[in-house]
Amino acid sequence: METLSWVCLFLPLAGVVVLALAGNRIGREPASWLATAIAFASFICGAAVFFSILGEGESARSHVYTLYTWAGAHNVHVLRVPLSIQIDQLSVVEMLVVSGVGALIVMYSIGYMHGDPKQRRFFAYMNLFLFSMLLVVMAGNFVLLLAGWGLVGLSSYLLIGFWHEQEAPVAAAKKAFVMNAIGDVGIAIAIFLMVRDFGTTDYHEVFTRAHDVWPKGSANANWVALLLLAGAVAKSAQIPLHTWLPDAMEGPTPVSALIHAATMVTAGVYLIARCHVLFANAPNVRTLVAVIGVATLLMAGVIALVQTDIKRIIAYSTMSQIGYMFAAVGVADDSAGMFHLLTHAFFKALLFLGAGIVIHALANEQDVRRMGGLSKVMPRTTMLMWVGTIALIGFWPMSKDEILEGALHGGGTAGWIVYVGGLVGAAFTGIYATRLMRLVFYGEMSGYAKEHLHTGHGEAPWTMFLPVAALAAGAVLVGFLSVGFGITNFFGDFLAQSAPTIEATVPQDILTTALAWGLGGAGALYVWRLYDDPARVAAVRSRFQTMATIAEAKFGWDELYYNIGYRPAVWLAVTFDSIGERWIIGGSLWLARTTVATVARATALAQSGIVRQYVTVLAGGAALVAVFFLGKANL
Amino acid sequence: MITLTVTTVPVSWSAIAPEIVLLSCACVLLTCAIFLPARLAHPVGAAVAAGAFAAAMVAPIAQWHDAPRTAFDDTLRIDAFGNGARLLIFAAGLLAVVVAWGMPHLFDRAVEYHALLLAAAAGMSLLAVSNSLVIAFIALELFSIALYVLVAIDVDALPGLEGALKYLIVGSVGAAFLLYGSALVYGATGQFEFDLIAQSIRHGDAHGGVLLLGVAMIIVGLGFKANSAPFHMWTPDAYEGAPTPVTAFMSAATKTVALVLAFRVLVAAFGEDSAIWQDAVGALAVASFAVGNLAALRQANVKRMLAYSTIGHTGFLFTAVAVHTQAAARAMFYYLAIYSLMNIGAFALVAIRERELGRPVLIDDFRGYAYRRPLLALSMVVFMLSLAGLPPMGGFIAKITIWSSAVDGGQTYLAIVGVAATLVGLGYYLKIPFALVDRDVPIPESPYRPAFAVTSATVLATAVAVMVLGIIPGPLLDLAQTASASLIGR
């Protein structure tokens, strides 16, 4: 199992190295297939690890494997950061999601990126991402976690800005990178605190000693949780560091599906679940997690109602769904959050890839208003998208219900905020998800669509279609892992050892499911009927004019950051450049350089080449040393 | 009535096995040289020398984990500290053979070169394990005289003769200081053996003027061999004038043995009164930092620049001596190993370039070299970055460990001066990497004479080692730990 784990982790890295070194010597198609094969091989290793963990006793499912410890091992007081991984229930679930969904999306990319001049580089980046993400979920200590955390940020940056000949992707990539850097700094400072107080960053030791070293509710406990939360919030696009995610849709669609929907953006949820001990130690911060989650899910749900770009609608829905996951881990129902993470990875990747097929077929058009009526020409895509939409609204799999049930059962302030906010959010979800389907696949086909639609090779090549179908099947099947109502809760039981779980009662299950289905279904039906008549749409819009304006302005976050972040930063930079850089730094450098140069000239001149002088200097030095020593003598 | 009793000292062959191997091979070479045809002189000499160095390594490796023991009536102390130094010296000798192999045009006297190299290494090897001021002086003279001749081995070259003469004159003064100091110490304590001197000091008056003057003079003598300022002035002339393989060997092996002896004599004989010499050694370190790094900034000749750089490195090594904890000894050993590798590597590249140009090498001669000999140029970059102390090279770990031992040992000021010296050092080390990638250089009309494959391969291997030992320093640090633990406890 140890070997399999390391192979699972390092296979994608090997892929990167091979693809990078091969360069032009490998064809585009072989390069794509190589990357795909590597991703699948990694998944097979992950699956093997999963089954061997299943075969073990419930209490013996956590393993730490160390490959190498860097120098300093014989100095006991030196901080040791071994290259070690922790394999347990939590990480193995993530390994399966990352490598499994990842492999399907890499395969889909073969068709999607076909003919792109930078196809090879794209696949190398995808493998780099897979390695980085596996490092995040498999790391056995916080330093490796941060290394993976930074590397996924890098791959995300590279892939958002993949079409760097255009302006928008580059700007979006930079934005994502800067926002994530803020979170990275948070984690780094948290690590510093751990090094100071524990002398180690190993998960196992930090978590077992956390209660003793940092008493519950103490300042340190709160700070660490808060700093880790900063990292989680940035990576998972939650308020207030969420503004990069919609812009990240400038990247190729498979990237949006893999990184900005299924895996990387949910890493924040994984981080909080992984560090549940630290968050349990800081109850106030945990409540803050729940509040952030609910605020984000509502805000993103509202913004999604008015978006017109198909990918941005799905992006805001991603933000909203991650809000649900944050809400779950915020009320200490981590297994429900992880279950939603799992189902979301399937259905959101499915929605993105389906949207990708549509975009592909419509010559890269992304505006839903220029689509319409596509169900007639793309029946199979429509069917698959319905599977995703039903999952998104929350009919099946019932992972969202589970979060709400846990919140209801857990109770408390946070519980009620999550419950009520989550139910309202369910209605929004029903509305925006159905609106997307209604606008894209039904109604009249737009003039643009009629003109540009090309489905010469069917709806999509099989390499694109097969992964989408597999994701749809996965989205349906994964629902059976945890049905609730006392029927199955395999997932919760499996995770219970490594992440806290709340088991709601059957009546609570029934009530919550009824409410969530009712609200989601009502929203869906409402919007379905609404779009029958454009006049009514306009009427509704004018009734909620203020709200719509705010939603279209995305609640003004970008303007806020422009004014409080960008402008002061530019002012500071200009000021520092004109005063600090030119006079203080430049001046002191000039002074130092001149001084050193002058002294150096003098030193070099002292070397005359005359032996007499050499011996004189030697004797003089010896005299100085002798005087120094005799000064210590008690003559 | 005076009774004269002659006691015979029990002979321990295993204690001096390396010296026996080296010296007998040297004798074989010298006596057989006259019978060899000229074209065979170099191959035979190189083969015998390489074989001797390899064979000499056997004993130190075999004894590596043995507990320290004394031999020849307490005049030698065979421990991992000395054996580690021996291994470094023999490795340097092997590399010097390889570097010389790359420039056969220099050697009309190949047999003598290799014989003298063996003799010098034998002297150094003996010095590394000496436990007595007398043995130390004899060993020192053995290798010094061999080196005086080696510097001038190319008798047709004036710079070599000039360098050798200066080295001889100034060196004699330095040796005189060491000898005089030893005599004074003997006068004060009545002992030559390091542990007995320490014992005698413990029982008597450690602050007697005679004893202190003796220690002062020993430090001067050691400082001379270790290229420490202000006893450094022979270094640039000797290094520049000597044939490059000799320079490479001198810079690495002499430095190693001088530092090992300095550490051993100061800790083993005068360790109880370290407060007295600690500041003096620290002051010499600071002087070396300053003189070496500042003067190096002004050099155009690469060998001269490296000569001043070696004075600067003495600052780091003397830092370790001043700190004289076990951690400092470990750091010093790691430093010496890396330093030997990177310095010989750099000189080997100078030798290769010298052969291509047929004249002394200036920094400007490396302009655009990266586009003609990419692998060699890359190795040069590795050596320069390592000498400058940049990660991920071994030189970085070497400096870091020295600094951390200085801070832990309460000599923080030496770490601070060392950092400043490193900053200045960037100013000249980085000249070469920049020159290497200079594109505005016309490609020479005639192609270069190709370098010898063995030499090039060794240079590359050395560069890889310098880098790998920087990334994975653990094993070498463990060896250094064993060596340092055999001399001092915590």
Side-chain angles (χ1 to χ4, degrees):
Chain A
M1 188 159 100
E2 180 169 2
T3 318
L4 279 173
S5 308
W6 287 113
V7 172
C8 175
L9 174 62
F10 282 120
L11 259 183
L13 183 64
V16 181
V17 174
V18 169
L19 287 176
L21 291 181
N24 287 338
R25 276 163 288 193
I26 184 171
R28 286 182 190 161
E29 289 297 309
S32 317
W33 281 105
L34 176 70
T36 309
I38 280 175
F40 274 104
S42 191
F43 171 67
I44 290 167
C45 293
V49 172
F50 171 70
F51 284 115
S52 42
I53 278 198
L54 265 191
E56 291 172 326
E58 288 203 351
S59 54
R61 285 176 174 171
S62 180
H63 309 271
V64 178
Y65 301 125
T66 302
L67 192 64
Y68 173 68
T69 305
W70 200 61
H74 37 63
N75 277 6
V76 188
H77 62 281
V78 165
L79 170 69
R80 255 176 285 177
V81 182
L83 177 53
S84 65
I85 51 176
Q86 178 162 341
I87 307 294
D88 59 7
Q89 295 93 323
L90 197 57
S91 50
V92 83
V93 166
E94 276 277 11
M95 280 162 69
L96 290 180
V97 173
V98 171
S99 58
V101 176
L104 291 174
I105 295 175
V106 174
M107 182 177 175
Y108 174 92
S109 311
I110 298 175
Y112 196 87
M113 298 306 288
H114 181 78
D116 192 294
K118 295 183 290 181
Q119 197 174 351
R120 283 172 283 239
R121 190 188 307 174
F122 177 85
F123 282 93
Y125 286 166
M126 285 299 250
N127 270 359
L128 175 65
F129 170 76
L130 284 181
F131 165 71
S132 318
M133 192 64 209
L134 285 171
L135 188 63
V136 167
V137 300
M138 294 168 79
N141 58 58
F142 280 95
V143 174
L144 273 192
L145 171 88
L146 184 59
W149 203 261
L151 279 173
V152 288
L154 171 69
S155 359
S156 164
Y157 168 83
L158 291 170
L159 284 164
I160 294 172
F162 185 72
W163 287 312
H164 56 75
E165 301 83 358
Q166 302 161 31
E167 223 169 277
V170 174
K174 278 194 281 193
K175 188 173 181 181
F177 200 80
V178 170
M179 294 294 242
N180 273 294
I182 298 173
D184 295 354
V185 170
I187 297 183
I189 299 176
I191 290 177
F192 296 157
L193 289 176
M194 285 172 206
V195 171
R196 187 192 68 184
D197 292 347
F198 292 87
T200 177
T201 67
D202 292 349
Y203 286 156
H204 183 73
E205 206 172 337
V206 170
F207 294 150
T208 44
R209 282 168 51 203
H211 286 294
D212 307 326
V213 179
W214 293 325
K216 189 168 181 170
S218 66
N220 275 333
N222 282 328
W223 272 116
V224 164
L226 205 57
L227 288 163
L228 291 174
L229 177 61
V233 158
K235 197 61 85 194
S236 292
Q238 299 292 291
I239 293 173
L241 297 175
H242 62 281
T243 60
W244 63 271
L245 183 60
D247 292 12
M249 296 302 126
E250 296 291 346
T253 303
V255 171
S256 309
L258 177 58
I259 302 183
H260 305 116
T263 55
M264 185 190 82
V265 285
T266 56
V269 181
Y270 166 79
L271 177 68
I272 297 176
R274 170 59 78 198
C275 303
H276 62 86
V277 176
L278 301 178
F279 281 89
N281 225 6
N284 294 334
V285 179
R286 186 169 247 179
T287 308
L288 179 64
V289 175
V291 172
I292 286 177
V294 172
T296 309
L297 81 86
L298 289 174
M299 187 194 76
V302 170
I303 298 178
L305 298 177
V306 299
Q307 290 297 308
T308 54
D309 181 314
I310 184 169
K311 283 179 72 180
R312 282 181 187 247
I313 296 175
I314 308 179
Y316 277 107
S317 119
T318 303
M319 204 188 277
S320 176
Q321 297 304 309
I322 301 172
Y324 277 103
M325 299 173 209
F326 265 62
V329 293
V331 296
D333 192 2
D334 292 14
S335 70
M338 289 301 294
F339 185 52
H340 197 49
L341 187 158
L342 175 66
T343 60
H344 176 258
F346 281 99
F347 70 71
K348 191 50 68 66
L350 163 62
L351 285 172
F352 260 120
L353 297 188
I357 293 179
V358 171
I359 295 168
H360 211 61
L362 288 180
N364 293 329
E365 180 55 53
Q366 302 194 6
D367 191 332
V368 287
R369 291 169 301 188
R370 305 179 76 174
M371 300 175 180
L374 294 178
S375 63
K376 285 173 219 110
V377 282
M378 309 178 83
R380 288 186 293 170
T381 309
T382 313
M383 199 181 69
L384 293 171
M385 286 292 275
W386 270 120
V387 174
T389 304
I390 286 167
L392 175 59
I393 299 175
F395 292 121
W396 180 269
M398 296 188 288
S399 51
K400 189 196 291 174
D401 303 6
E402 200 172 298
I403 294 173
L404 301 178
E405 288 151 15
L408 179 63
H409 189 84
T413 321
W416 282 107
I417 292 174
V418 170
Y419 196 69
V420 176
L423 284 175
V424 175
F428 287 146
T429 312
I431 296 174
Y432 68 67
T434 315
R435 170 173 171 264
L436 186 149
M437 292 302 290
R438 181 72 176 76
L439 282 174
V440 174
F441 292 101
Y442 298 90
E444 281 292 307
M445 194 184 279
S446 74
Y448 176 90
K450 278 180 194 149
E451 195 179 321
H452 289 87
L453 184 72
H454 64 97
T455 49
H457 42 42
E459 291 175 35
W462 70 270
T463 51
M464 286 169 75
F465 212 82
L466 188 72
V468 185
L471 286 169
V476 173
L477 292 178
V478 77
F480 290 104
L481 288 179
S482 181
V483 180
F485 306 110
I487 301 171
T488 61
N489 191 14
F490 171 79
F491 191 82
D493 294 342
F494 180 66
L495 271 193
Q497 304 283 326
S498 56
T501 289
I502 298 178
E503 195 90 42
T505 61
V506 174
Q508 283 169 336
D509 283 3
I510 294 172
L511 170 72
T512 309
T513 304
L515 281 174
W517 280 11
L519 284 166
L525 277 179
Y526 169 73
V527 80
W528 187 263
R529 302 292 304 278
L530 181 70
Y531 275 88
D532 285 347
D533 182 3
R536 281 181 61 206
V537 178
V540 170
R541 196 192 147 85
S542 62
R543 201 182 325 147
F544 294 104
Q545 188 57 46
T546 327
M547 201 60 218
T549 312
I550 294 175
E552 272 164 1
K554 301 162 204 157
F555 287 69
W557 286 97
D558 280 331
E559 283 69 27
L560 178 72
Y561 286 149
Y562 180 79
N563 285 316
I564 67 162
Y566 177 78
R567 280 172 52 181
V570 168
W571 179 83
L572 266 182
V574 170
T575 314
F576 281 156
D577 180 53
S578 56
I579 298 171
E581 175 68 24
R582 195 160 305 160
W583 294 106
I584 301 174
I585 297 179
S588 57
L589 280 181
W590 177 85
L591 195 68
R593 190 168 52 82
T594 317
T595 316
V596 168
T598 313
V599 182
R601 195 171 305 129
T603 318
L605 281 179
Q607 186 83 20
S608 60
I610 301 165
V611 180
R612 240 189 350 258
Q613 184 227 341
Y614 290 7
V615 179
T616 316
V617 172
L618 199 166
L624 279 179
V625 174
V627 167
F628 175 87
F629 271 84
L630 289 178
K632 303 222 170 194
N634 39 6
L635 292 169
Chain B
M1 191 185 120
I2 298 169
T3 51
L4 190 71
T5 49
V6 177
T7 53
T8 50
V9 176
V11 172
S12 166
W13 296 109
S14 67
I16 53 166
E19 290 80 7
I20 294 173
V21 170
L22 295 172
L23 284 178
S24 48
C25 285
C27 292
V28 168
L29 271 182
L30 283 179
T31 48
C32 299
I34 44 170
F35 302 112
L36 280 177
R39 63 185 174 80
L40 278 182
H42 199 161
V44 170
V48 172
F53 280 125
M57 285 184 176
V58 172
I61 292 174
Q63 299 166 358
W64 182 251
H65 289 291
D66 294 354
R69 68 189 168 96
T70 55
F72 291 99
D73 203 11
D74 206 21
T75 55
L76 298 184
R77 187 172 194 270
I78 315 296
D79 51 13
F81 194 72
N83 277 331
R86 279 170 157 178
L87 289 175
L88 289 183
I89 292 160
F90 303 152
L94 261 182
L95 289 172
V97 171
V98 177
V99 177
W101 183 250
M103 35 192 346
H105 60 292
L106 264 187
F107 292 104
D108 299 337
R109 296 170 188 79
V111 171
E112 291 88 331
Y113 167 79
H114 289 106
L116 286 167
L117 199 62
L118 291 173
M124 292 172 174
S125 169
L126 186 63
L127 189 63
V129 294
S130 70
N131 192 43
S132 148
L133 290 170
V134 176
I135 297 290
F137 183 76
I138 294 171
L140 191 93
E141 282 304 288
L142 175 54
F143 85 74
S144 295
I145 293 168
L147 284 180
Y148 298 147
V149 184
L150 273 175
V151 171
I153 191 128
D154 189 8
V155 288
D156 304 324
L158 272 182
L161 291 177
E162 184 193 331
L165 196 62
K166 287 177 175 172
Y167 188 23
L168 171 66
I169 296 172
V170 187
S172 311
V173 178
F177 272 103
L178 187 66
L179 189 60
Y180 204 169
S182 304
L184 289 175
V185 169
Y186 181 73
T189 62
Q191 303 292 350
F192 279 124
E193 288 74 27
F194 300 159
D195 46 343
L196 300 179
I197 293 172
Q199 230 171 57
S200 163
I201 293 175
R202 213 172 297 133
H203 298 139
D205 178 13
H207 291 235
V210 175
L211 178 65
L212 287 178
L213 202 56
V215 180
M217 292 184 136
I218 288 178
I219 287 178
V220 171
L222 293 172
F224 172 84
K225 284 292 168 203
N227 322 95
S228 162
F231 320 116
H232 65 283
M233 300 197 79
W234 59 275
T235 313
D237 295 335
Y239 276 30
E240 189 189 351
T244 309
V246 177
T247 316
F249 178 71
M250 274 208 307
S251 71
T254 315
K255 180 82 98 199
T256 299
V257 78
L259 263 300
V260 163
L261 177 66
F263 206 103
R264 190 193 283 282
V265 72
L266 287 175
V267 168
F270 311 111
E272 298 267 316
D273 304 293
S274 60
I276 294 174
W277 50 263
Q278 193 167 32
D279 293 339
V281 176
L284 293 184
V286 172
S288 308
F289 276 135
V291 170
N293 286 297
L294 288 172
L297 283 171
R298 305 279 309 167
Q299 306 305 321
N301 181 308
V302 179
K303 273 167 81 178
R304 222 172 156 77
M305 185 195 93
L306 287 172
Y308 280 108
S309 126
T310 200
I311 298 169
H313 284 282
T314 297
F316 286 102
L317 296 162
F318 265 25
T319 299
V321 178
V323 175
H324 75 276
T325 56
Q326 195 189 57
R330 182 175 75 126
M332 188 182 86
F333 241 102
Y334 181 85
Y335 201 112
L336 284 170
I338 293 293
Y339 174 79
S340 301
L341 281 176
M342 61 194 182
N343 225 30
I344 295 182
F347 277 120
L349 266 159
V350 174
I352 290 174
R353 194 84 185 97
E354 226 169 48
R355 183 164 170 274
E356 288 170 356
L357 295 167
R359 60 172 169 80
V361 183
L362 304 180
I363 292 175
D364 280 345
D365 292 328
F366 278 109
R367 289 205 179 282
Y369 199 53
Y371 305 106
R372 265 152 269 155
R373 295 276 160 86
L375 279 177
L376 291 181
L378 197 63
S379 310
M380 195 62 171
V381 172
V382 170
F383 296 137
M384 288 302 135
L385 294 188
S386 185
L387 282 164
L390 296 183
M393 308 306 169
F396 169 70
I397 302 290
K399 285 191 167 69
I400 285 283
T401 47
I402 293 265
W403 288 332
S404 84
S405 78
V407 172
D408 288 344
Q411 305 288 312
T412 313
Y413 76 100
L414 284 173
I416 294 172
V417 179
V419 171
T422 303
L423 279 177
V424 176
L426 292 174
Y428 56 91
Y429 287 127
L430 293 188
K431 278 181 188 169
I432 290 187
F434 280 125
L436 287 171
V437 293
D438 191 344
R439 278 191 182 277
D440 304 329
V441 181
I443 291 169
E445 296 287 314
S446 57
Y448 296 132
R449 282 192 280 179
F452 280 67
V454 181
T455 316
S456 305
T458 309
V459 166
L460 280 179
T462 314
V464 169
V466 167
M467 192 139 88
V468 168
L469 289 173
I471 297 169
I472 309 172
L476 185 55
L477 280 172
D478 287 341
L479 293 177
Q481 173 76 14
T482 311
S484 59
S486 75
L487 184 70
I488 42 174
R490 297 198 178 276

